[in-house]
Amino acid sequence: MTDRLKLGLAGLGTVGSGLVRLMAARGSSLASRAGKPIEIVAVSARNKRKKRDVDISQFRFVGDPVALARDPEIDVFVELIGGEGGVAKEAVEAALKAGKHVVTANKALLAHHGASLAALAEKHGVALNFEAAVAGGIPVVKVMRESLKGSDISRVYGILNGTCNYILTLMEREGRSFAEALKEAQAEGYAEADPGFDIGGFDTAHKLALLTSLAFGTRPAFESVYVEGIETIAPADIEAADGLGYRIKLLGVALRTESGIEQRVHPTMVPKETAIAEVDGVSNCVAIDGDFVGDVMLIGPGAGAGPTASSVMSDLLDIARNHILAPFATKAKDLMPYKKAQMRTHEGGYYIRLSVFDRTGAFAAIATRMADQGISLESIVQRLASAELPGVHRRREGTPATVVMITHQTTEAAIRKALQSIARDGHVEAKPQMIRIEKL
Ligand code: HSE
């Protein structure tokens, strides 16, 4: 490295443009923060001439990001292209092999190929930094890679997708439809190029796989994450949760169990009085439970140009100061294989919403099926359609009614068996809704 840190920036979308703006705004103060000037010397983007709100005419343009990754003039390759494979992977590998440091916001790439890329970075003695890949502007990678290494971590969990949290918040607080809320999140630049990654839970799963590795010293194992998205959350669930004292959040959770590590992403009921329930809109939150440190929680902006560019800059400052650590805190060769805990052994409380044919014996049959699996109910409520008056028995036998149950602690296997039996009995008219309750 010379007396300046010279960047090759690939990808000029939301985050890339945000970084150009941040560097322009910091101006010469960046050099004193970094100990040396940091400058972009070349950029690469799919379309050179696209209308942008940042001026890129001052930078050398390189059409091929892989060529930029190997460019002799650059010290750091900043990969803001995205995608688990393809040109992003090719370019990052090329940069590492050419002895360039890499800074990336690409959670999909690292969730799938993190262990081999970390090994490559270590082999060539360069950094592979990814603060911007997890929870936008929250400096959680640095905290987990460095600050919390004095503790053994038992659980890491959080709200890791700004788009989903934004959608759920608008649905809950403003009664917006799912489609309206998604459109707004896209307009704000929070959503991924394919919003299916956000609402399907996969973006959260990518980020969770990285946090799991940092927490437990295991190889990132995205393929072992159990994933459910928010597409099935209905206004009826949001309303029922509210009445029961909960909010619904899409959580990513990784925890050590006796049988291995549980990694799961799913809509989750969180009690209204907890801090995580108050994390609204595009905000993210990461909670880490450690032995000596206790419970730590970080809350902040989870997506968007400014926060994500701020995290990219934090990685660049570390490189400028020559503060270079193993990407996943543990040396790549010492990362342990991931031992997966099966989802059927998951233990917790459950919220169940059933659309039940309102006929004599249905309620009792449902309660019996739950009891057959040893499931104890904390509450069971039948909700009439709003036109029906409680106590006035004018309902026609067989009309569907909503039954909402909250269970005490049980296992996923027991819940699934009970719901299968209830469906087989023919009392429900639609697929049951099941939302896990996280112990906080
Ligand atoms: N689509 C992501 C989100 C962007 O909504 O959180 C940041 O990774």
Side-chain angles (χ1 to χ4, degrees):
M1 241 189 284
T2 58
D3 52 344
R4 293 179 298 151
L5 190 71
K6 289 175 285 180
L7 316 182
L9 169 58
L12 288 166
T14 304
V15 189
S17 303
L19 182 66
V20 174
R21 263 197 306 276
L22 184 152
M23 290 181 68
R26 290 289 82 89
S28 54
S29 76
L30 209 48
S32 59
R33 296 180 196 202
K36 61 169 68 169
I38 302 182
E39 63 183 59
I40 298 171
V41 295
V43 296
S44 180
R46 228 179 340 208
N47 181 353
K48 182 177 178 181
R49 276 170 241 295
K50 184 177 158 188
K51 209 169 166 302
R52 297 186 165 85
D53 58 1
V54 289
D55 177 20
I56 59 160
S57 62
Q58 53 189 310
F59 311 126
R60 180 158 59 84
F61 192 89
V62 180
D64 176 9
V66 182
L68 177 61
R70 297 193 186 105
D71 193 293
E73 203 193 351
I74 71 164
D75 303 306
V76 186
F77 180 62
V78 184
E79 187 273 302
L80 303 174
I81 304 168
E84 77 163 82
V87 74
K89 178 166 180 272
E90 214 186 311
V92 166
E93 284 173 347
L96 296 173
K97 284 180 188 162
K100 315 286 184 189
H101 301 287
V102 170
V103 171
T104 179
N106 192 337
K107 52 258 167 177
L109 173 70
L110 293 172
H112 286 273
H113 309 289
S116 60
L117 292 174
L120 204 53
E122 282 172 30
K123 181 174 168 196
H124 293 275
V126 290
L128 171 58
N129 285 351
F130 55 91
E131 187 64 77
V134 185
I138 302 178
V140 63
V141 174
K142 199 172 176 68
V143 164
M144 294 192 70
R145 194 190 269 155
E146 302 181 35
S147 320
L148 294 181
K149 277 299 155 197
S151 282
D152 272 354
I153 292 169
S154 52
R155 177 172 67 163
V156 55
Y157 65 96
I159 295 171
L160 302 174
N161 185 267
T163 301
C164 287
N165 209 43
Y166 189 82
I167 291 173
L168 291 171
T169 303
L170 287 192
M171 286 175 75
E172 185 200 325
R173 301 284 162 91
E174 296 180 27
R176 299 280 170 85
S177 74
F178 183 87
E180 282 169 348
L182 171 59
K183 223 166 169 181
E184 279 190 43
Q186 284 176 300
E188 295 290 341
Y190 304 145
E192 296 301 302
D194 172 1
F197 274 96
D198 295 296
I199 58 182
F202 303 105
D203 178 74
T204 301
H206 288 145
K207 295 166 181 168
L208 183 69
L210 305 183
L211 291 178
T212 306
S213 175
L214 287 162
F216 303 122
T218 48
R219 290 189 200 129
F222 167 75
E223 63 291 345
S224 297
V225 186
Y226 173 83
V227 187
E228 277 177 26
I230 62 167
E231 309 94 324
T232 66
I233 300 301
D237 299 314
I238 290 186
E239 204 184 301
D242 186 49
L244 291 160
Y246 292 97
R247 292 212 168 99
I248 302 174
K249 298 289 183 188
L250 183 75
L251 293 195
V253 184
L255 84 156
R256 265 188 209 286
T257 73
E258 279 170 14
S259 61
I261 296 172
E262 202 171 278
Q263 284 188 111
R264 48 190 165 83
V265 172
H266 48 72
T268 310
M269 295 278 192
V270 294
K272 272 188 202 170
E273 69 276 8
T274 55
I276 202 164
E278 296 290 336
V279 177
D280 277 345
V282 72
S283 295
N284 278 195
C285 146
V286 187
I288 304 135
D289 302 345
D291 54 1
F292 277 80
V293 68
D295 298 349
V296 174
M297 185 175 273
L298 305 168
I299 300 175
T308 317
S310 159
S311 285
V312 171
M313 183 46 70
S314 147
D315 283 344
L316 291 169
L317 291 172
D318 271 351
I319 293 170
R321 298 180 195 118
N322 208 22
H323 179 58
I324 293 164
L325 300 179
F328 293 99
T330 305
K331 277 190 177 308
K333 70 170 174 44
D334 296 331
L335 285 170
M336 284 177 298
Y338 176 85
K339 183 163 183 277
K340 179 181 175 177
Q342 297 301 322
M343 200 53 199
R344 62 175 181 274
T345 63
H346 166 70
E347 289 182 16
Y350 289 77
Y351 155 98
I352 311 287
R353 176 174 55 83
L354 303 168
S355 186
V356 177
F357 294 113
D358 187 8
R359 55 193 170 213
T360 310
F363 211 75
I366 289 166
T368 303
R369 290 304 190 186
M370 301 298 272
D372 287 348
Q373 294 302 327
I375 299 167
S376 166
L377 297 178
E378 184 182 299
S379 71
I380 177 165
V381 179
Q382 177 164 330
R383 289 165 185 262
L384 302 174
S386 49
E388 304 284 343
L389 291 174
V392 180
H393 305 289
R394 280 183 288 111
R395 293 178 67 81
R396 275 192 296 128
E397 276 274 297
T399 328
T402 300
V403 171
V404 171
M405 294 180 277
I406 298 284
T407 77
H408 285 295
Q409 173 115 336
T410 182
T411 65
E412 181 98 1
I415 283 286
R416 288 190 181 276
K417 276 192 206 143
L419 292 181
Q420 273 165 12
S421 307
I422 291 166
R424 261 199 311 267
D425 290 343
H427 294 303
V428 291
E429 64 139 20
K431 192 169 179 272
Q433 174 66 293
M434 178 261 268
I435 302 178
R436 296 168 189 86
I437 301 171
E438 191 68 20
K439 204 166 170 196
L440 299 173

